[in-house]
């Protein structure tokens, strides 16, 4: 197996991790201060969300200069110190890379605005008006049309995201050469890999046809998600950058099927190491729509996770496992119980994730059971997507209270509040005024959690070590049991001799289920398991991992 298949990854959202200079924004020196904490947790790879120069319309995913660290985070010299300090601790660094679009402040786009004849004009996707309006009916992920009109050129440019984030034209070989040159710069600096943002959107249908709107997904993505040349571009990227430098890579592959994800991740195709997919975090989308008050029906969640487990393993691909990230609310608040059973719920999520096949990712704060922000006023939000969605919900007839409640469940701002380090003002994140208000009424912090017996942090340490010491958890086959069980998720990892079973009660009610003979307990989120007469009594939000020998 590759080293990254055995490793545990920790995602850092630098803006919210640790501020070292009191300006209210997390920075590189703050990350350096916390490396021993991550080493103690058992982390081998850090994923850093973007820290390049950016106007910050999308918190760094709108890059204005690929070659420079944004001064709010520090300097290139600081970043080199971070690399050295991490490597000294046996921790590798994976940078976020955004090559589907740039900021409209990027030099390339500023040049492209000057004239249709400018060589940079073709670095972006410009189209003439059709019958006096947008070239097609595609929608932006951030609401509204995906096209922005520029009167002086009498043309529209495509922006699948915010209008300040124009999409790049990957058909242009000069553009691709510039991207590869830039990637090599970071290779030479000493990083170990890339997480590739919305990478399956880089190839668009050159005819720009209209979509049907028959379902919420028929909004244009049929003609740019996993587009006509995306695998060709990624293979070229692999041959020039990833392969020669033994890079670990993970692609963000939204709206992607298992068959398509296999194309991205099968080693012999030479594209990506592993895939981030999002079907399991859309199970509470009512009617496929995100901005709704949704409910997670456990058989749906199990079916999605199981389909990806068996499909990717059978086809020779590799999953990136996660519950939360900077673009998702916290799973503990979304799927479980962040109140009375907060510790049990956090441990359940860890045990279920680390039992699956794939590389597990921890999003900052999961290891101390951080929960959603639960903001009560739109003024507390900084995120453009959330603010745009709020106004769209009002326009669609929702009351302010309804829109805020939906944001409390679905907004990605929930995961972006500052890391809770201690019990001081602003939880020790900053001595200044934080860029985003922490949850001041929440008494959970690294300091408090680590002082508690049987704490969540220690549980994560245990489950990280357990996974690395159990070959079944790394390479064993997967099977789902009791697919229709609405309360308990039961699955097994197995080979020809041994079986590891995971059982997780996703409810606040006691559940009794059958258990095989001769089981040996490996781990549980309660001090003791109650097993008798081949039955186990699962307490509210109890999760267990046991091992047994399969007869025959």
């Amino acid at each position: 197996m590759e080293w990254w298949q055995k490793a545990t990854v920790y995602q850092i959202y630098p803006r919210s991790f640790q501020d070292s200079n009191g300006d209210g924004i997390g920075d590189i020196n703050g990350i350096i201060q916390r490396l021993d904490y991550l080493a103690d947790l058992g982390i081998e790879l850090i994923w850093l969300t973007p820290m390049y120069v950016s106007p910050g319309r999308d918190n760094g995913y709108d890059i204005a200069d690929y070659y420079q660290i944004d001064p709010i985070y520090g300097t290139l010299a600081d970043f080199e110190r971070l690399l050295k300090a991490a490597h000294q601790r046996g921790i590798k660094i994976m940078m976020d890379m955004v090559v589907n679009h740039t900021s409209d402040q990027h030099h390339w786009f500023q040049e492209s605005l000057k004239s249709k004849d400018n060589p940079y004009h073709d670095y972006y996707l410009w189209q003439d008006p059709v019958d006096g309006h947008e070239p097609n009916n595609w929608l932006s992920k951030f609401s509204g049309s995906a096209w922005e009109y520029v009167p002086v050129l009498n043309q529209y440019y495509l922006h699948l995201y915010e209008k300040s984030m124009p999409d790049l034209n990957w058909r242009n070989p000069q553009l691709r050469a510039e991207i590869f040159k830039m990637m090599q710069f970071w290779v030479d600096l000493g990083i170990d890999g890339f997480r590739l943002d919305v990478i399956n959107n880089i190839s668009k249908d050159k005819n720009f046809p209209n979509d049907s709107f028959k379902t919420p997904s028929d909004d244009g993505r049929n003609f740019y998600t996993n587009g006509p040349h995306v695998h060709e571009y990624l293979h070229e990227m692999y041959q020039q950058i990833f392969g020669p430098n033994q890079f670990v890579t993970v692609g963000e592959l939204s709206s992607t099927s298992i068959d398509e994800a296999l194309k991205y991740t099968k080693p012999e195709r030479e594209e990506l190491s592993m895939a981030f997919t999002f079907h399991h975090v859309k199970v509470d989308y009512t009617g496929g729509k995100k901005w709704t008050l949704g409910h997670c029906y456990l058989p749906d969640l199990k079916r999605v996770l199981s389909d990806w487990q068996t499909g990717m393993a059978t086809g020779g691909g590799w999953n990136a496992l996660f519950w939360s990230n900077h673009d998702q609310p916290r799973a503990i608040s979304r799927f479980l119980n962040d109140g009375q059973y907060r510790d049990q719920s956090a441990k359940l999520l860890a045990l279920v994730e680390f039992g699956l096949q794939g590389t597990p990712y921890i999003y900052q704060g999961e290891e101390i059971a951080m929960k959603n922000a639960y903001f009560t006023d739109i003024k507390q939000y900084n995120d453009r997507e959330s603010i745009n969605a709020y106004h769209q919900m009002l326009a669609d007839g929702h009351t302010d209270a309804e829109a805020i409640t939906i944001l409390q469940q679905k907004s990605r701002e929930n995961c972006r509040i500052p890391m809770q380090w201690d019990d001081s003002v602003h939880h020790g994140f900053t001595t200044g005024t934080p860029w985003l208000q922490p949850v001041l009424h929440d008494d959970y912090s690294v300091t408090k959690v680590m002082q508690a017996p049987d704490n969540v942090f220690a549980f994560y340490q245990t489950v990280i070590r357990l996974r690395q010491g159990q070959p079944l958890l790394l390479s064993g086959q997967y099977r789902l049991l009791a697919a229709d069980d609405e309360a308990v998720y039961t699955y097994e990892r197995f080979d020809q001799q041994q079986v590891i079973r995971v059982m997780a009660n996703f409810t606040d009610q006691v559940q009794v289920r059958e258990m095989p003979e001769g089981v040996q307990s490996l781990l549980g989120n309660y001090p003791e398991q109650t097993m008798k007469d081949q039955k186990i009594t699962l307490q509210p939000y109890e999760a267990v991992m046991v091992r047994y020998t399969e007869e025959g």
Side-chain angles (χ1 to χ4, degrees), residues 6 21 62 66 73 101 120 132 136 140 142 166 169 195 215 217 222 232 257 290 315 350 371 418 454 478 498 540:
K6 303 175 184 178
N21 60 7
D62 49 329
Y66 284 108
Y73 297 118
H101 51 266
Y120 289 102
N136 64 28
S140 163
F142 283 23
N169 176 20
R195 179 267 188 186
T215 74
S217 297
N222 290 314
E232 172 189 322
S257 67
K290 176 176 180 175
K371 64 181 182 179
D454 301 320
Y478 171 96
Q498 294 287 315

Side-chain angles (χ1 to χ4, degrees), residues 52 81 107 153-154 235 250 289 311 383 392 411 414 456 467 493 499 514 551:
Y52 315 96
R81 286 198 307 113
H107 167 71
L153 295 174
N154 189 30
H235 183 61
V250 56
K289 295 181 179 179
D383 172 43
Q392 186 63 53
S411 170
N414 284 300
V456 176
R467 176 178 176 272
R493 303 291 304 282
V499 182
E514 292 184 0
E551 296 180 3

Side-chain angles (χ1 to χ4, degrees), residues 86-103:
H87 289 161
Q88 286 172 343
R89 291 164 174 80
I91 299 174
K92 298 181 187 295
I93 298 287
M94 177 166 64
M95 292 187 74
D96 220 318
M97 182 51 66
V98 189
V99 292
N100 175 73
H101 51 266
T102 69
S103 165

Side-chain angles (χ1 to χ4, degrees), residues 1 16 21 27 45 50 260 301 350 470 476 511:
M1 299 185 79
S16 294
N21 60 7
D27 48 44
L45 177 62
E260 198 70 35
L301 179 64
Q470 293 287 341
Q511 305 289 336

